Amino acid sequence: TSPAAALARVNELLVPDAHHGMFVTAVYAVLSLETGQLVYANAGHNLPLLWRPGTRTLERFGKGGMALGVLEGVSSGEWSVSLEPGDCLIFYTDGITEAFSPEDDVYGEDRLRATIQSAGDGSAQAMLEAVDDSVIAFVGDNPPSDDITLMVLRRLAS
């Protein structure tokens, strides 16, 4: 089934059991390892980022839909993007962009984008570690204000 259809089904299952104000955000993506074609749907989650080292560009994925479990009958859109060899896909939770420094500054997407661009030519692991190190240095001794989840995928040359 398509990513959008899968998220619509999950929404149907969650709505009856969701407590007031409770919701789930998710990105569902299906990647063809042969072609690099990625089909995805987004239910209220942070918009993934795509680093294209060949053109030195950092793109934000298309709009997301509503979070799951909020309203009945909600469906999200479905989009497709082609990953070229070397391209790097970054999925993250708001615990990254909403991390606070000891001075109460927010890490933010601009800082995340700058870190990705500076680490863009390394491996997926190197990029993940660069973002992780940057967030840790930024928050200092502050406890996390939310979960911090990060996943980095890089398409290797075929």
Side-chain angles (χ1 to χ4, degrees), residues 26-153:
V27 174
Y28 188 116
V30 177
L31 174 63
S32 167
L33 297 178
E34 293 81 29
T35 67
Q37 191 70 18
L38 183 88
V39 179
Y40 68 95
N42 186 331
H45 199 69
N46 294 77
L47 299 175
L49 298 170
L50 176 59
W51 169 248
R52 296 191 185 268
T55 58
R56 312 291 301 164
T57 57
L58 185 59
E59 303 169 12
R60 183 187 299 179
F61 273 28
K63 294 181 178 181
M66 181 175 289
L68 303 172
V70 178
L71 295 172
E72 289 183 34
V74 173
S75 62
S76 65
E78 188 168 280
W79 295 272
S80 178
V81 65
S82 181
L83 301 180
E84 301 300 324
D87 286 355
C88 203
L89 186 56
I90 302 99
F91 295 96
Y92 60 96
T93 60
D94 59 3
I96 299 236
T97 51
E98 295 176 6
F100 289 95
S101 73
E103 295 79 25
D104 269 348
D105 292 328
V106 177
Y107 187 81
E109 190 174 316
D110 288 344
R111 205 173 257 109
L112 173 62
R113 293 172 74 87
T115 303
I116 290 167
Q117 289 171 315
S118 69
D121 293 330
S123 67
Q125 182 66 36
M127 182 176 291
L128 188 143
E129 289 172 2
V131 172
D132 194 43
D133 291 347
S134 175
V135 172
I136 289 169
F138 181 80
V139 300
D141 292 332
N142 277 359
S145 58
D146 202 348
D147 69 291
I148 294 178
T149 305
L150 176 67
M151 183 171 71
V152 178
L153 304 173

